[in-house]
Amino acid sequence: DAGVIQSPRHEVTEMGQEVTLRCKPISGHDYLFWYRQTMMRGLELLIYFNNNVPIDDSGMPEDRFSAKMPNASFSTLKIQPSEPRDSAVYFCASSLGQGNEKLFFGSGTQLSVL
Amino acid sequence: SQQGEEDPQALSIQEGENATMNCSYKTSINNLQWYRQNSGRGLVHLILIRSNEREKHSGRLRVTLDTSKKSSSLLITASRAADTASYFCATPSRGIIQGAQKLVFGQGTRLTINP
C-alpha cells in the first residue's frame, strides 16, 4: 500500500485566496483525521470522519474551514478565504477500527499564506 | 484539549547513550501511543501500550506505563544519529460525540543524537 497520500506537498497562496488540500487514506481504513501543526500550538485535531461521516469538527478554527469526504478514498480540507495565520503544516491520517487506535500519517501539506 | 505533555522539551545526547522521554496525561485512558516525526515528514507510529500493560518492547524501544501516576516513558537504548527526531505521546480524549474518542498529541520532545 502507498500509505496516506496528500497533495499538494507545498502550497503558497495570497491572503484571501481559496485553498484546497487533498487526502487519500489507506484503503480499508474507516477513520480519517485532519490535523494542523504549528510551532506555537503543536499538533491540533481539526476534524475526523468515520465511514465518510464527520464525527467531531470541534477543532475546526472557524467557518472559513470546511472538510468533506465524498467517498471512502478521498477527503478535502478547504480554507476560504485564507489568512496568514492559517500558515501551518496540515496532516491527514487514517486508521483502521476505533478512532483512538494506531494512526497512519501522510507527509503533510506545507501551507504558506502571504 | 491537551491531554499528554512530554518532558523534556528538548534532549541532546551522544550517540550510543540511552535517551529517556516522559509523558504525563490527565484523564483515564485505555491506551497510550508514541510517535516519531523526522524533520519535514509526517508522524510515524512507534508503539501502542494498553492500560492493562506495564511495559512493552520493540527493538531498541522500551515503553512503560504507570496508570496510577498517569505517566509513560519512552526509552531508546544505544541511540543512533538516525534517531534524531521529535517524539510525541498521544492519548485518547473524549470527543463531542458520546462514546467516540479522538487521539490528542502532546507538544513533543525534540531529540538530537550527536555523532
Side-chain angles (χ1 to χ4, degrees):
Chain A
D1 200 318
V4 176
I5 299 173
Q6 290 187 246
S7 65
R9 190 79 173 87
H10 301 275
E11 177 79 32
V12 180
T13 190
E14 292 187 347
M15 183 174 62
Q17 295 298 306
E18 178 180 293
V19 175
T20 300
L21 311 181
R22 297 173 177 78
C23 174
K24 182 180 188 308
I26 293 173
S27 178
H29 283 193
D30 46 13
Y31 281 84
L32 183 139
F33 305 80
W34 282 101
Y35 284 87
R36 177 172 70 176
Q37 186 177 38
T38 60
M39 288 294 292
M40 291 296 295
R41 300 175 67 89
L43 205 60
E44 303 172 277
L45 178 63
L46 301 177
I47 185 172
Y48 76 95
F49 296 82
N50 176 215
N51 291 324
N52 314 336
V53 176
I55 300 301
D56 186 341
D57 65 353
S58 59
M60 295 286 261
E62 43 197 280
D63 292 345
R64 298 184 296 107
F65 285 69
S66 63
K68 294 182 180 179
M69 192 164 185
N71 57 62
S73 59
F74 184 65
S75 177
T76 59
L77 178 67
K78 188 174 291 186
I79 308 173
Q80 166 65 17
S82 58
E83 297 182 3
R85 60 191 166 126
D86 301 331
S87 297
V89 182
Y90 291 80
F91 288 104
C92 175
S94 67
S95 74
L96 182 64
Q98 301 216 12
N100 58 356
E101 295 291 319
K102 175 181 175 180
L103 298 188
F104 293 79
F105 280 80
S107 298
T109 294
Q110 173 78 61
L111 174 65
S112 298
V113 183
L114 306 177
Chain B
S1 60
Q2 209 71 18
Q3 172 67 308
E5 292 293 338
E6 291 91 344
D7 170 62
Q9 290 188 340
L11 179 62
S12 181
I13 61 174
Q14 293 299 121
E15 195 167 20
E17 294 180 340
N18 295 341
T20 300
M21 289 157 274
N22 303 296
C23 171
S24 59
Y25 56 93
K26 296 172 185 170
T27 62
S28 297
I29 57 172
N30 55 16
N31 75 61
L32 184 143
Q33 303 178 40
W34 286 92
Y35 288 78
R36 182 187 72 222
Q37 183 180 32
N38 290 89
S39 181
R41 307 295 294 273
L43 281 74
V44 174
H45 181 268
L46 294 176
I47 200 163
L48 181 154
I49 186 166
R50 300 199 183 276
S51 58
N52 60 353
E53 298 174 307
R54 291 294 169 260
E55 188 170 309
K56 203 162 183 179
H57 296 254
S58 176
R60 293 183 296 111
L61 305 181
R62 182 172 78 99
V63 168
T64 63
L65 180 63
D66 187 334
T67 54
S68 65
K69 295 181 180 178
K70 291 187 169 58
S71 68
S72 173
S73 68
L74 170 67
L75 168 68
I76 304 174
T77 60
S79 63
R80 304 168 182 168
D83 295 327
T84 294
S86 291
Y87 292 82
F88 296 85
C89 70
T91 50
S93 176
R94 280 198 189 84
I96 59 175
I97 305 297
Q98 188 173 6
Q101 289 191 322
K102 55 188 180 182
L103 212 53
V104 177
F105 289 80
Q107 293 279 37
T109 292
R110 196 167 57 256
L111 175 65
T112 302
I113 308 299
N114 302 304

